[in-house]
Amino acid sequence: MPMSSSRRGERESMSRVDTAWLRMEAPTNRMMITGVMTFTTPLALDELKQVIGQRFLSFRRFRQKAVDRPAGAYWEDDEDFDLDWHVRVTALPGKGRKAELQSLTSQLASSPLDQARPLWQFHLVERYGAGSALITRLHHCYADGMALVQVMLSLTDVEAQPLKKVELERAWLKRDRGTVTERLLQPARAGLRQASYLGGRMLSRGRELIEDPGKLEQLAQGGGEVLRELAVALSLSDDPKTRLKGTLGATKRVAWAEPLPLGEVKTLSHALGCTVNDVLLAAASGALRSWLLEQGGDIDGLTIRATVPVNLRPLEHARQLGNHFGLVFLDLPIGEPNPLRRVERVAECMQGLKRSKQAAVTFGLLAAVGMAPAPVQRLALELFSRKASAVATNVPGPQAPMYLAGCRIDDLMFWVPQNGSIGVGISILSYNGRVHFGLIADARRIPDPQSVIDRFAPEFEKMLLIALMEDWTAPITAADADATLARHATAVRRTSEKVQKTRGARVHRRKSVV
């Protein structure tokens, strides 16, 4: 139980799962959630600091340091708290365009936070385009991605002139309908306590169970549903070797793509009878497939896995901070050449995960890891890492424009850390009617993540076009795709004109603001 924290300087015990994320920190994978916001007008430092002081620091946790000791981790008030250290001003070299902002974000995502202070920082780029940019770094032990997005949105307003009080629900989707969170939430919650207990029991037997799948199968046959799920999760085969897997370095690189219209994604998902999440993850699979093929990889029939975080608490409770999510292993069918069949396979896998308690099981394992001896922690981390090649997150954001310190937020993106030897992170976030794609990758695995992220939109457009085919269930080759493009040249031209018109209107709005 947490100790009393009513007086300044007293300690508060850290939860087991938060402790696990604190102890996952490594030079090859910094356990930070990194975010970027861009603004249509310049953001003033003094006004930013005022908002952070009034709203961000209303969460007492952000004035506290994370202290790790062999007997357990705890939160402790920072007696020397200095807001100026946490809110920094920086500038981009040259003309300060997107490439320079991505380079700075990559550098910060690769750099550790100061363990002697509360583990978060804001970096204000005063001049970016016609406005400014804000890079945020926050250690995962403070909050999961869903909670952090909620916290960041609590700093914003729905009007340029801040109101005295804006209820968070006005700036956020009150219910997370139709997403992976909603579909997995209820079944995942069931059995959390049992999963945590069984996770501790299994990890206590360490390598014996992990290296002998037969014993895992025996446990699964004799136990209940949660125990069976736990045995299945631990006995998953290692992910196949591709250029995405291998030794990691200390350098991370980030990139983001031009956003897609959310309405078009919804239209395609309705036509295919699946969710928006299914379509977007299928597009991500296609982008990775295209890149791997260009690198000379043999991926025929290949399937890799991505770990997908699943929220395990009601959305309205996300502001309570901490980590309350499990992980599910989602198949990404990169060896499937037919784009729409990739959608089908992703949707089919998601349906199977919906009926499982895999998220609760991994939450229980993380809780057990947080209190396990260091050798067992490393073993468990290695276990999770071997079974996936990427981390994929999809967070629904507000569908109306938001303002921070009176400045309108144009674009926003975030990246969650990868654990262990996983070197690729895919981030999807919807905001103001658009879908934003981001990628973070270890420089040894993907030296130029922009070359991957730029394939997301073409993969989505390919799905749209092939959906027009009379028989898209038949095997499809590159020649088939070219023929489809030729037959539907008019539709392609109209789509292109629509995209250009939308982008032109966006540029005109930016200029009119200036």
Side-chain angles (χ1 to χ4, degrees):
M1 294 293 292
M3 292 180 281
S4 172
S5 56
S6 60
R7 294 193 302 273
R8 182 174 174 81
E10 289 193 353
R11 299 173 178 178
E12 179 182 348
S13 298
M14 187 179 293
S15 75
R16 293 184 176 185
V17 176
D18 294 348
T19 299
W21 287 105
L22 176 64
R23 292 176 174 174
M24 285 185 200
E25 179 80 15
T28 53
N29 260 326
R30 301 295 176 185
M31 289 296 106
M32 292 182 297
I33 300 172
T34 305
V36 173
M37 290 184 181
T38 62
F39 303 87
T40 56
T41 55
L43 178 61
L45 175 62
D46 290 343
E47 295 182 14
L48 171 63
K49 290 170 66 175
Q50 183 178 3
V51 169
I52 292 174
Q54 292 176 350
R55 301 189 187 186
F56 189 76
L57 293 180
S58 67
F59 297 87
R60 181 170 174 265
R61 178 72 75 233
F62 295 129
R63 290 182 177 270
Q64 294 178 312
K65 300 182 292 185
V67 182
D68 192 12
R69 295 289 183 267
Y74 56 86
W75 300 105
E76 182 178 66
D77 289 342
D78 183 4
E79 300 287 356
D80 300 311
F81 182 83
D82 181 6
L83 183 60
D84 289 336
W85 190 90
H86 291 276
V87 183
R88 303 290 190 89
V89 176
T90 187
L92 299 176
K95 295 184 179 180
R97 295 176 177 171
K98 179 181 176 182
E100 287 76 23
L101 181 59
Q102 287 182 334
S103 179
L104 175 60
T105 306
S106 300
Q107 178 185 345
L108 292 171
S110 307
S111 305
L113 291 160
D114 188 347
Q115 296 283 339
R117 301 174 182 269
L119 298 173
W120 59 269
Q121 274 190 321
F122 290 85
H123 302 264
L124 173 61
V125 180
E126 290 185 303
R127 295 182 181 180
Y128 179 68
S132 301
L134 184 65
I135 305 172
T136 306
R137 298 191 298 157
L138 187 143
H139 200 282
H140 212 316
C141 67
Y142 282 79
D144 54 39
M146 185 67 73
L148 178 59
V149 172
Q150 289 272 29
V151 169
M152 293 305 297
L153 289 176
S154 74
L155 309 185
T156 67
D157 300 282
V158 294
E159 298 179 3
Q161 296 298 322
L163 303 177
K164 291 182 179 180
K165 182 179 181 180
V166 178
E167 293 296 332
L168 187 61
E169 285 75 15
R170 291 177 58 191
W172 185 259
L173 299 176
K174 189 172 183 179
R175 292 290 305 280
D176 187 17
R177 293 187 177 94
T179 67
V180 61
T181 300
E182 181 71 12
R183 293 192 293 141
L184 297 178
L185 182 57
Q186 291 302 330
R189 281 182 188 157
L192 277 177
R193 183 176 300 178
Q194 185 184 7
S196 181
Y197 169 71
L198 292 173
R201 283 186 57 195
M202 279 202 168
L203 285 182
S204 69
R205 297 179 65 176
R207 192 175 296 275
E208 174 191 358
L209 287 175
I210 294 170
E211 294 185 344
D212 189 346
K215 292 184 178 180
L216 286 169
E217 293 176 3
Q218 293 174 11
L219 285 171
Q221 293 172 359
E225 184 179 4
V226 173
L227 185 55
R228 287 194 297 273
E229 291 280 0
L230 186 56
V232 169
L234 289 173
S235 59
L236 285 174
S237 63
D238 292 352
D239 229 22
K241 291 183 178 181
T242 66
R243 289 183 64 92
L244 304 178
K245 296 287 287 184
T247 304
L248 303 182
T251 301
K252 303 299 175 187
R253 291 181 179 158
V254 306
W256 55 90
E258 283 295 308
L260 292 175
L262 179 58
E264 292 185 10
V265 181
K266 288 182 176 179
T267 298
L268 181 60
S269 70
H270 292 159
L272 298 178
C274 62
T275 69
V276 166
N277 188 66
D278 297 334
V279 169
L280 295 175
L281 288 173
S285 302
L288 291 173
R289 168 187 170 81
S290 174
W291 183 80
L292 286 169
L293 282 173
E294 187 177 89
Q295 303 303 308
D298 181 10
I299 60 170
D300 286 345
L302 192 64
T303 296
I304 64 173
R305 298 190 195 95
T307 58
V308 179
V310 177
N311 183 39
L312 294 176
R313 59 182 161 193
L315 188 59
E316 61 270 20
H317 293 169
R319 293 188 69 191
Q320 296 174 2
L321 301 186
N323 289 275
H324 297 269
F325 71 96
L327 298 169
V328 295
F329 291 93
L330 175 68
D331 289 345
L332 299 181
I334 61 172
E336 170 56 63
N338 188 319
L340 298 191
R341 280 195 169 173
R342 285 199 292 270
V343 180
E344 279 188 334
R345 289 184 56 183
V346 169
E348 185 178 302
C349 183
M350 292 299 290
Q351 284 296 322
L353 293 172
K354 175 183 176 181
R355 295 186 292 269
S356 78
K357 291 185 173 64
Q358 195 175 109
V361 161
T362 56
F363 181 87
L365 282 173
L366 287 170
V369 167
M371 300 305 293
V376 177
Q377 290 176 5
R378 290 192 293 270
L379 180 65
L381 197 57
E382 176 190 352
L383 170 69
F384 273 98
S385 302
R386 293 202 313 251
K387 299 181 185 306
S389 299
V391 175
T393 59
N394 183 5
V395 175
Q399 297 309 308
M402 306 299 294
Y403 298 82
L404 177 61
C407 297
R408 176 169 170 161
I409 300 171
D410 186 23
D411 290 332
L412 71 162
M413 181 45 63
F414 76 102
W415 298 267
V416 298
Q418 299 79 60
N419 59 289
S421 61
I422 296 178
V424 179
I426 302 165
S427 296
I428 304 171
L429 185 145
S430 60
Y431 165 64
N432 195 22
R434 301 186 297 177
V435 179
H436 300 257
F437 290 99
L439 191 72
I440 184 169
D442 186 272
R444 291 187 179 183
R445 306 274 56 86
I446 304 180
D448 179 19
Q450 193 69 50
S451 66
V452 179
I453 204 72
D454 284 343
R455 301 169 195 261
F456 276 59
E459 286 297 324
F460 172 73
E461 292 170 1
K462 190 185 298 182
M463 284 189 282
L464 279 175
L465 292 170
I466 295 176
L468 298 172
M469 295 178 66
E470 292 78 7
D471 182 16
W472 60 264
T473 59
I476 186 169
T477 65
D480 293 329
D482 290 339
T484 302
L485 293 175
R487 285 200 306 273
H488 298 284
T490 301
V492 174
R493 185 175 65 255
R494 289 175 179 172
T495 301
S496 178
E497 290 173 352
K498 181 178 179 181
V499 171
Q500 294 300 324
K501 184 177 180 181
T502 301
R503 290 174 178 170
R506 183 164 66 244
V507 172
H508 176 74
R509 286 197 299 271
R510 290 176 180 171
K511 291 182 177 179
S512 65
V513 170
V514 177

